[in-house]
Amino acid sequence: MDWHAVTFDWNQARAFLVTAEEGSFSAAARALGLTQPTLGRQVAALEEALGVTLFERVGQRLELTVTGVELMEHVRAMGAAAMRVSLSAAGQSESVEGTVTVTASEVITAFLLPAVVAQLRETHPGITLELVAANEVRDLQRREADIAVRNVQPTQPDLFARKLRDTTAHFYAAPTYIERAGPFERSADLARAGLFAFDRSTTMVEGFKALGIAVDAAQFILTTPSHFVQWELCKRGLGVCVMMDDVGMAEPGVRRLFPDLPSIPVPMWLVCHRELHTSRRIRVVFDALAEHLSTPVVV
């Protein structure tokens, strides 16, 4: 290989890649933890080293030039390779000290993880846990987290996944709401229930339909992307909420509704990157989560 032909450094290429993906110097600087002038200088240095123009400004936006588009494919491959190097190096770590980032839904993070966090603090005080409570799926391949608790099986070949168990969810409401709007004893009573939605799309209506549960879009009386907020509103008697039975059956302030409706399946998977699974500290956290979450809170 002719190393003299390589006339730029990886930091400049990375600055170009992140700017192209984020769409602006300011967003790219935030993503990389740099100042905007520093990042701009790195991109300019790359353009000078290669003798090309990579971006052009169109109004308030940056757009790739034809040359920039052509180079993106190669630089993106470099970024993927750099990520694999970092993952491989992290996977060889034998230290049981350091940070491990775990992502899970708001409900799982708030109600199911505290016990295992307490256990890990006692048995491995050198491990610092960073909990990312997010209902959207975080990208483990881009190191947005080290370990994820998911309700869907991952399909990426680079991810290691362990099926923990199949749990269920049902509709729940507070006694005050049942008294005001009920009764909710049969599936036919569901039509009177005021429900909570995560957004204004038809996703939840279609999802219930696929499970054989008929609901109307007009029944969704409130929209919030936070499942935790939905649950608090439910406990205060403001409507009906779908909740994992691990959480719902343990809450004395609500009642499970519609006993003749089918259970809503909630599979639980524990996921990490294959190479990270060989890291001792990540393996310690992974195994602790697997042991704790495999056992239902409510039988």
Side-chain angles (χ1 to χ4, degrees), residues 56-73:
E56 59 184 0
R57 187 169 292 280
V58 180
Q60 298 298 316
R61 296 178 294 108
L62 286 178
E63 290 192 1
L64 287 168
T65 62
V66 173
T67 302
V69 172
E70 293 178 353
L71 290 182
M72 266 296 290
E73 179 181 354

Side-chain angles (χ1 to χ4, degrees), residues 8 19 30 53 72 95 153 165 170-171 178 201 237 262 269:
F8 64 93
T19 300
R30 287 193 298 271
T53 300
M72 266 296 290
S95 173
Q153 182 178 5
R165 60 187 168 98
H170 286 88
F171 293 93
I178 296 172
S201 71
W269 291 82

Side-chain angles (χ1 to χ4, degrees), residues 60-269:
Q60 298 298 316
R61 296 178 294 108
L62 286 178
E63 290 192 1
L64 287 168
T65 62
V66 173
T67 302
V69 172
E70 293 178 353
L71 290 182
M72 266 296 290
E73 179 181 354
H74 303 294
V75 178
R76 185 174 282 123
M78 291 173 59
M83 184 66 69
R84 287 193 296 270
V85 170
S86 296
L87 287 167
S88 181
Q92 301 307 312
S93 173
E94 290 300 311
S95 173
V96 289
E97 296 184 351
T99 300
V100 177
T101 303
V102 179
T103 182
S105 69
E106 290 180 317
V107 167
I108 290 176
T109 302
F111 293 102
L112 302 189
L113 294 193
V116 71
V117 169
Q119 173 190 322
L120 285 167
R121 290 300 306 147
E122 181 177 348
T123 58
H124 294 87
I127 295 178
T128 300
L129 289 176
E130 179 181 352
L131 301 182
V132 180
N135 294 324
E136 67 275 8
V137 174
R138 294 303 176 97
D139 192 340
L140 299 187
Q141 293 176 304
R142 294 176 64 90
R143 296 299 298 275
E144 293 180 350
D146 298 317
I147 302 172
V149 183
R150 293 182 178 174
N151 298 126
V152 293
Q153 182 178 5
T155 57
Q156 299 94 326
D158 289 339
L159 298 183
F160 175 87
R162 180 187 297 182
K163 179 71 172 291
L164 300 179
R165 60 187 168 98
D166 288 310
T167 183
T168 55
H170 286 88
F171 293 93
Y172 288 86
T176 53
Y177 184 78
I178 296 172
E179 182 179 353
R180 184 170 71 253
F184 299 117
E185 299 172 353
R186 299 176 296 112
S187 57
D189 299 330
L190 176 59
R192 293 198 307 274
L195 307 174
F196 305 132
F198 289 95
D199 54 43
R200 296 186 180 277
S201 71
T202 60
T203 302
M204 291 189 69
V205 174
E206 295 166 354
F208 284 133
K209 182 178 179 181
L211 296 171
I213 301 174
V215 298
D216 189 272
Q219 290 181 250
F220 291 98
I221 57 174
L222 185 144
T223 299
T224 172
S226 172
H227 202 181
F228 193 78
V229 171
Q230 291 182 20
W231 187 233
E232 288 300 311
L233 293 171
C234 172
K235 290 191 294 182
R236 292 173 184 269
L238 298 179
V240 174
C241 182
V242 175
M243 180 53 65
M244 291 174 56
D245 292 325
D246 292 71
V247 177
M249 295 296 288
E251 172 52 58
V254 299
R255 303 290 181 269
R256 200 173 100 176
L257 311 178
F258 318 119
D260 59 333
L261 277 179
S263 299
I264 300 170
V266 184
M268 195 177 296
W269 291 82

